[in-house]
Amino acid sequence: MACELTAPSAEGTDRKRAPLIVRNGGFARVWVAQLLSQSATRMYQMGALWWLLGQVASGDRGLASGLFLMSAALPPVVLAPLIARAISRHRSRRVLSGAVLGGVILTVALAGFAAPAGMPALAVYPVMFGLAACQALFDPCLAKAIPELVQDGDIEDATAFEQSSFSLVGMAGALFGAILVDRIGLTGVVMVSALAYLGAAAFLGTVRFQPHGGEAQEGSGSGIGRAWQLLAGLPFIKLALICFTAANFFITATFVILPLYTKNVLHAPALTLGLLEGALWLGMLIGVFTGKRLPGHPGLVGGGCVALFGAVTVVPGVVPDQTALLVCLAVAGWAVGAVNVVFVAAFQRAVPTAAKPVFFSAMLALLGAGFPVAAFAFGLAADRLSPQSLFLVQSAGLLPIAAALALRSRRDARLRAAL
């Protein structure tokens, strides 16, 4: 069987200790397909965004970049019901292959249209929406398909690999997209992305999935109102979810501010933008693996991480220095990775088992909805305020959220002491 679901062999414990991608060639090929697919989407996003900033007047760059990032963020939100139905009704291999082939069609069509006549500025928006829709279909389908690729004892390892791809691609895709757009232009970036999608399709074509369990239930991705009712007896978790959503609004604004800061303040090339975003993703990756070791009440630790992000964003608002910004972004990324671990772990422990499917689907919907709103709001504000001012706005929005979490944790600590 291509996915290589085998019983423990007699080769001893060395093979069992080998990384999952060494022991399970089928999962390894699907994971490589995920990396290629996400990298293709990320390279196009970075390349098209930087190219777009060079096409519009300086006074319109904020709105143009905000609308572009909105087109990248909307598909997981507005297409969620359609994506859920597609994943539940069709086999995983068919859905995954369809998603990457959709990316091939979009990028090849755009490259073919742009090669003789030049890249049309308006075309980058719908193509970004389409590629983001393909990725929004691929990623949750892969998460659902993990039990079809690995044994039960390897599900945690497989999930870790699947989740790590976001940070890895965030670093590599941003860097390569920035390098390529300066060297071969946006049409070249689109062609490279098409090749990456083709590679993903080729890897998927070599893997067989073993059906596992029943079909997913439709409608499981909705139910924010129901989640609210279930959390009536968990006031801290409800507050944490509100604060988490509000913080995410300001945190994701970083992806709107950074291109404008690089272009208008640092007057640096696209490579600099790739390095800056890479520092953010690297810090996030480190935070994911180290945040679980932070001691203390989740509210206090989470509030501290949010406050740290808000504090370091003051620096680029005051000191326009590239090295200082790199360090600040790495620290800010660490804070994001750590706060994600702290909050999600707190939710896992506190939310009743029966409420978890509804709660986590509602949480993802809320967090996903924040990015397009942040992209539009900060993009619109960027045509009226300088990028330095936007960093300060970001900081001013995060610090009260951190204070609310910290104060609530102290109140909970006093109540526990009184009991």
Side-chain angles (χ1 to χ4, degrees), residues 6 24 32 34 43 53 65 71 80 82 87 89 96 121 167 169 197 241 252 271 283 314 351 355 383 415 418:
T6 59
N24 189 322
V32 171
Q34 182 190 28
M43 283 191 295
L53 291 178
S65 60
S71 67
L82 296 177
I87 294 174
R89 292 178 179 178
L96 294 171
S167 295
V169 168
Y197 286 122
L241 182 58
T252 56
L271 176 59
V314 172
V351 176
D383 291 332
L415 287 174

Side-chain angles (χ1 to χ4, degrees), residues 12-81:
T13 58
D14 290 341
R15 181 172 173 80
K16 297 178 76 173
R17 293 196 186 104
L20 176 62
I21 56 175
V22 175
R23 292 183 282 111
N24 189 322
F27 175 78
R29 292 191 291 274
V30 174
W31 186 58
V32 171
Q34 182 190 28
L35 292 176
L36 288 171
S37 175
Q38 289 181 345
S39 296
T41 306
R42 190 74 183 94
M43 283 191 295
Y44 174 80
Q45 181 179 334
M46 173 64 76
L49 178 58
W50 187 258
W51 176 86
L52 190 62
L53 291 178
Q55 301 299 307
V56 300
S58 59
D60 298 324
R61 287 173 178 169
L63 181 59
S65 60
L67 290 174
F68 180 78
L69 291 172
M70 273 187 66
S71 67
L74 278 174
V77 179
V78 299
L79 301 179

Side-chain angles (χ1 to χ4, degrees), residues 63-390:
L63 181 59
S65 60
L67 290 174
F68 180 78
L69 291 172
M70 273 187 66
S71 67
L74 278 174
V77 179
V78 299
L79 301 179
L82 296 177
I83 291 170
R85 282 198 291 271
I87 294 174
S88 66
R89 292 178 179 178
H90 302 286
R91 292 186 179 275
S92 298
R93 179 177 175 178
R94 183 177 178 184
V95 174
L96 294 171
S97 298
V100 295
L101 288 175
V104 172
I105 292 170
L106 285 169
T107 49
V108 169
L110 181 60
F113 183 80
M119 184 69 66
L122 292 180
V124 300
Y125 294 95
V127 171
M128 183 71 261
F129 184 92
L131 295 180
C134 292
Q135 202 62 52
L137 183 62
F138 186 102
D139 291 331
C141 183
L142 177 56
K144 168 247 184 184
I146 283 177
E148 304 172 28
L149 294 163
V150 303
Q151 297 175 345
D152 288 344
D154 287 329
I155 286 178
E156 289 80 8
D157 287 343
T159 301
F161 274 104
E162 186 259 334
Q163 289 293 311
S164 69
S165 65
F166 295 98
S167 295
L168 293 172
V169 168
M171 290 185 290
L175 188 59
F176 282 114
I179 293 173
L180 291 174
V181 74
D182 273 347
R183 292 179 179 271
I184 59 177
L186 181 55
T187 302
V189 172
V190 174
M191 295 175 68
V192 172
S193 296
L195 291 174
Y197 286 122
L198 279 171
F203 275 103
L204 288 171
T206 67
V207 180
R208 292 175 59 191
F209 293 75
Q210 179 173 321
H212 183 278
E215 299 291 337
Q217 295 182 354
E218 292 185 37
S220 61
S222 58
I224 294 178
R226 185 182 167 201
W228 227 241
Q229 295 173 359
L230 291 168
L231 292 176
L234 298 169
F236 172 74
I237 298 301
K238 184 182 289 189
L239 174 67
L241 182 58
I242 294 172
C243 291
F244 202 14
T245 303
N248 193 61
F249 171 83
F250 290 100
I251 288 170
T252 56
T254 307
F255 296 102
V256 182
I257 302 172
L258 274 183
L260 299 171
Y261 195 93
T262 305
K263 190 85 171 179
N264 298 342
V265 178
L266 299 178
H267 305 291
L271 176 59
T272 299
L273 176 59
L275 291 172
L276 293 174
E277 285 206 11
L280 182 69
W281 287 106
L282 177 60
M284 201 178 302
L285 185 63
I286 297 172
V288 166
F289 289 102
T290 60
K292 61 183 179 181
R293 298 186 177 92
L294 296 175
H297 187 279
L300 188 60
V301 176
C305 290
V306 173
L308 179 60
F309 193 109
V312 297
T313 53
V314 172
V315 177
V318 178
V319 182
D321 179 77
Q322 180 176 324
T323 302
L325 181 56
L326 277 168
V327 174
C328 289
L329 288 172
V331 174
W334 178 89
V336 172
V339 79
N340 283 344
V341 171
V342 169
F343 273 126
V344 172
F347 296 158
Q348 288 281 8
R349 293 187 177 95
V351 176
T353 301
K356 284 182 180 179
V358 173
F359 174 81
F360 282 109
S361 63
M363 182 188 77
L364 292 175
L366 286 170
L367 296 180
F371 186 37
V373 176
F376 179 77
F378 275 83
L380 194 63
D383 291 332
R384 293 161 176 79
L385 300 173
S386 68
Q388 297 102 306
S389 299
L390 292 178

